[in-house]
Amino acid sequence: MDEVAISEEDRRQLGLWAADCVERALPLFEAKAPSDPRPREAIEGIRAFVREGKRTAQLRALAWAAHAAAREVDDPAATAAARAACHAAATPYIHPLATPHQSKHVLGPAVYGALGHELAAGDAGSADKEIRRAIEHAPPEVRALLRRMPARKPGRSRLDTLYYELDAALRG
């Protein structure tokens, strides 16, 4: 399996971009589970990583906690928003492997955030708008990191479509 170089600056820029994408979706979760701070804490954790540059067990725990929050909330849009937070907090742990699975980790925060908006609005245009915003705000480090991994292929589900569209645009 081929490996890709991932610098600490790549990880910080990816984390910052992921946090920015997900913060727009967090209100979808918080509206359904106002007393559950786990997804927001995951975003605070990734922002701390961006400032301090240290991958800690605490950050990993925050990612898993957001994942648990996604499983526990009973609303599809809120679930997608919490999954986005989980993916964002996990971005510093991306493996240096040139696999489609690792590209999914790069794209997951933006894709799940966009899916949350679509599910909340009942309109595909909401997700498309969030994907466009993610593309416009993606730093060069994120684009370069993604280009070192295999391109995503179109799939059958809406989630696969969002992954593919974001991947293709960031490579262009």
Side-chain angles (χ1 to χ4, degrees):
M1 194 172 302
D2 292 335
E3 289 198 8
V4 297
I6 304 174
S7 71
E8 288 308 305
E9 183 62 16
D10 290 339
R11 292 179 195 281
R12 281 193 293 279
Q13 290 298 320
L14 175 57
L16 181 60
W17 176 69
D20 289 345
C21 290
V22 174
E23 267 186 332
R24 296 173 55 79
L26 279 181
L28 301 171
F29 178 84
E30 293 168 337
K32 299 297 181 181
S35 63
D36 190 341
R38 293 175 291 180
R40 183 152 307 270
E41 288 171 349
I43 298 308
E44 291 167 4
I46 190 60
R47 290 206 182 277
F49 166 78
V50 168
R51 287 188 308 273
E52 299 160 13
K54 295 181 183 172
R55 291 185 286 180
T56 64
Q58 175 65 18
L59 181 56
R60 190 170 288 235
L62 291 170
W64 284 116
H67 183 68
R71 285 192 318 265
E72 294 167 13
V73 69
D74 190 24
D75 178 81
T79 295
R83 283 187 180 150
C86 169
H87 280 282
T91 55
Y93 300 99
I94 187 172
H95 297 293
L97 302 173
T99 67
H101 183 75
Q102 295 308 310
S103 69
K104 189 175 183 178
H105 289 304
V106 172
L107 302 169
V111 167
Y112 273 100
L115 181 63
H117 282 279
E118 179 174 311
L119 292 169
D123 173 28
S126 297
D128 295 337
K129 178 182 172 187
E130 291 301 312
I131 293 294
R132 281 191 304 274
R133 186 187 180 286
I135 293 163
E136 290 167 5
H137 290 90
E141 293 86 353
V142 170
R143 293 171 183 269
L145 174 60
L146 192 60
R147 286 184 192 118
R148 294 191 293 266
M149 297 178 176
R152 303 224 24 112
K153 294 186 171 127
R156 296 181 186 170
S157 71
R158 178 63 175 151
L159 190 63
D160 289 337
T161 299
L162 292 172
Y163 269 113
Y164 175 74
E165 288 173 358
L166 181 57
D167 181 84
L170 290 177
R171 289 172 188 279

